[in-house]
């Protein structure tokens, strides 16, 4: 299957989840991630403000704030299709942009350098068991990951994991994937 077909197939499956299933599965994924030693030691966590049907990251953000962690959220720049990260301290520092995505308000947040992000939670629609991902098609994370050297994890539902996906030369794998039923540790995977 090509990327577009796989993306659409998984998005269709995700859209069929009930609100209760979505909430309970999201919480199970987040609970697993929050026990990860890499997560526990991270002072600054970079992540996208989720929108249904992605794993709900709002509760994760609140848990990070409660634990004294900083949250860095991406701000996309469509003119050159790149993004940077900005520290958010409350949800009031977010605005709704294109496609109902929430991003930091530049005038209310501060820029953070990539090397200051200890753990980056990388979003995606479909993930392979080797850690590669099919995103939403903008390529923003692919470009950012090319120069990011910190730890990476992804959060996903079981139905988002595929045996394999098409991989292009510029694609970079994540370090591990948390789902509601477990953790795929990708440090030892032969890619």
């Amino acid at each position: 299957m090509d990327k577009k077909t796989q993306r659409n197939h998984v998005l269709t499956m995700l859209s069929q989840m009930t609100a209760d299933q979505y909430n309970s599965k999201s919480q199970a994924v987040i609970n697993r991630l929050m026990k990860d030693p890499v997560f526990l030691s991270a002072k600054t966590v970079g992540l996208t403000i989720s929108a249904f049907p992605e794993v709900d990251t709002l509760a994760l953000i609140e848990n990070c704030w409660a634990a004294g962690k900083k949250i860095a959220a991406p701000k996309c720049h469509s003119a050159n299709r790149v993004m940077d990260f900005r520290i958010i301290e409350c949800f009031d520092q977010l605005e709704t942009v294109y496609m109902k995505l929430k991003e930091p308000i530049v005038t209310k947040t501060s820029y953070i350098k990539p090397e200051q992000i200890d753990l980056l939670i990388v979003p995606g629609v479909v993930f392979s068991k080797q850690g590669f991902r099919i995103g939403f098609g903008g390529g923003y994370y692919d470009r950012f990951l090319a120069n990011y050297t910190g730890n990476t994890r992804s959060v996903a539902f079981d139905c988002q994991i595929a045996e394999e996906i098409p991989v292009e030369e510029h694609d970079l794998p994540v370090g591990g994937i948390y789902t509601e039923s477990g953790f795929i540790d990708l440090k030892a995977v032969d890619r």
Side-chain angles (χ1 to χ4, degrees), residues 27-91:
Q27 192 58 55
V29 174
I30 298 308
N31 289 345
R32 289 182 185 284
L33 170 67
M34 288 176 44
K35 294 175 186 169
D36 184 326
V38 172
F39 174 81
L40 292 170
S41 67
K43 291 181 176 54
T44 303
V45 178
L47 55 87
T48 299
I49 310 303
S50 64
F52 181 84
E54 298 173 287
V55 170
D56 183 7
T57 61
L58 298 180
L60 174 60
I61 292 169
E62 290 174 337
N63 281 302
C64 286
W65 285 333
K69 297 180 186 299
K70 291 182 181 179
I71 291 295
K75 175 69 180 169
C76 295
H77 305 282
S78 59
N80 53 2
R81 297 182 72 84
V82 297
M83 65 181 185
D84 57 35
F85 280 78
R86 306 189 68 80
I87 296 294
I88 61 167
E89 297 171 340
C90 65
F91 294 124

Side-chain angles (χ1 to χ4, degrees), residues 10-18 52-53:
V10 169
L11 286 172
T12 298
M13 284 193 302
L14 290 171
S15 70
Q16 295 170 354
M17 270 193 288
T18 67
F52 181 84

